[in-house]
């Protein structure tokens, strides 16, 4: 991945960095994203997640794009890692609200997006130092495709977390790449 936010076939665009017109266009595209039946128990409404991310200081919402159109969303949050079963809030950025549109699933784009999110979190860490060394997330144990995508992206399973509202989760972590 270069420094421009592109990894393979996926771009992740930070909504906070866009002007009002570009942000409105991206939010309209986010509103058109759809989940597979049953996925709503793992993730929330895409537009609501993006708007909440814009409204809260510690959250940084992103739109994932491939082929020139929005294919998903994600949020990176500082100071909230314990929400994913991590032992403390400061040593990791939390990846939350990660979803890929149902029409784009199964193409490896989620794996690319997850890896790009870690790179983006590293950039956020350099701009807004928190002392974090990587990114943590939790994924529901019943979400096999999601778990597989995160592991393929390079996240490492750190065990079971039972504090989630949708059943048992796996806590996954990926450290930032060492600067070269």
């Amino acid at each position: 991945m270069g420094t421009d936010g592109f990894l393979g076939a996926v771009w992740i665009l930070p909504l906070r960095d866009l002007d009002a017109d570009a942000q409105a266009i991206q939010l309209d595209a986010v509103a058109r994203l759809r989940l597979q039946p049953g996925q709503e128990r793992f993730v929330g409404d895409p537009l609501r997640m993006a708007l909440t991310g814009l409204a809260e200081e510690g959250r940084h919402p992103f739109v994932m794009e491939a082929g020139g159109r929005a294919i998903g969303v994600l949020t990176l949050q500082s100071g909230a890692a314990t929400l994913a079963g991590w032992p403390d809030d400061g040593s990791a950025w939390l990846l939350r609200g990660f979803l890929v549109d149902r029409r784009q699933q199964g193409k490896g784009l989620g794996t690319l997006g997850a890896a790009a999110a870690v790179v983006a979190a590293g950039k956020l860490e350099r701009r807004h130092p928190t002392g974090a060394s990587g990114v943590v997330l939790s994924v529901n144990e019943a979400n096999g495709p999601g778990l597989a995508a995160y592991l393929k992206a390079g996240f490492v399973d750190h065990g079971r977390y039972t504090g989630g509202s949708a059943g048992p989760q796996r806590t996954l972590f990926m450290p930032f790449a060492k600067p070269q």
Side-chain angles (χ1 to χ4, degrees):
M1 175 169 169
T3 58
D4 55 2
F6 181 71
L7 182 66
V10 175
W11 288 90
I12 60 170
L13 307 173
L15 283 173
R16 286 191 190 280
D17 293 351
L18 302 177
D19 67 32
D21 290 338
Q23 198 175 84
I25 290 166
Q26 290 298 327
L27 289 172
D28 180 63
V30 167
R32 298 171 195 272
L33 297 174
R34 298 292 174 254
L35 302 173
Q36 292 284 13
Q39 282 186 317
E40 61 279 345
R41 73 181 259 226
F42 304 129
V43 296
D45 174 76
L47 181 59
R48 181 176 298 155
M49 287 188 297
L51 292 172
T52 299
L54 288 170
E56 292 187 19
E57 179 89 14
R59 293 187 189 200
H60 299 269
F62 291 79
V63 173
M64 285 184 283
E65 283 193 346
R69 67 176 190 260
I71 60 143
V73 294
L74 64 96
T75 298
L76 291 164
Q77 185 173 357
S78 62
T82 56
L83 295 174
W86 200 242
D88 67 90
D89 280 329
S91 66
W93 282 77
L94 174 64
L95 174 57
R96 64 186 307 167
F98 185 95
L99 70 90
V100 174
D101 183 88
R102 71 178 179 207
R103 296 160 290 200
Q104 301 301 320
Q105 292 178 9
K107 300 176 182 180
L109 300 173
T111 297
L112 292 172
V118 175
V119 174
K123 291 177 185 179
L124 285 170
E125 178 63 25
R126 289 189 292 281
R127 286 180 19 203
H128 311 285
T130 66
S133 62
V135 175
V136 67
L137 62 89
S138 65
V139 60
N140 193 286
E141 289 181 347
N143 184 356
L147 180 58
Y150 294 127
L151 293 173
K152 188 172 181 182
F155 281 84
V156 175
D157 191 334
H158 280 259
R160 193 173 217 214
Y161 172 59
T162 58
S165 61
Q169 311 278 315
R170 302 305 300 178
T171 297
L172 307 179
F173 178 78
M174 183 190 291
F176 297 134
K178 303 287 183 207
Q180 297 180 15

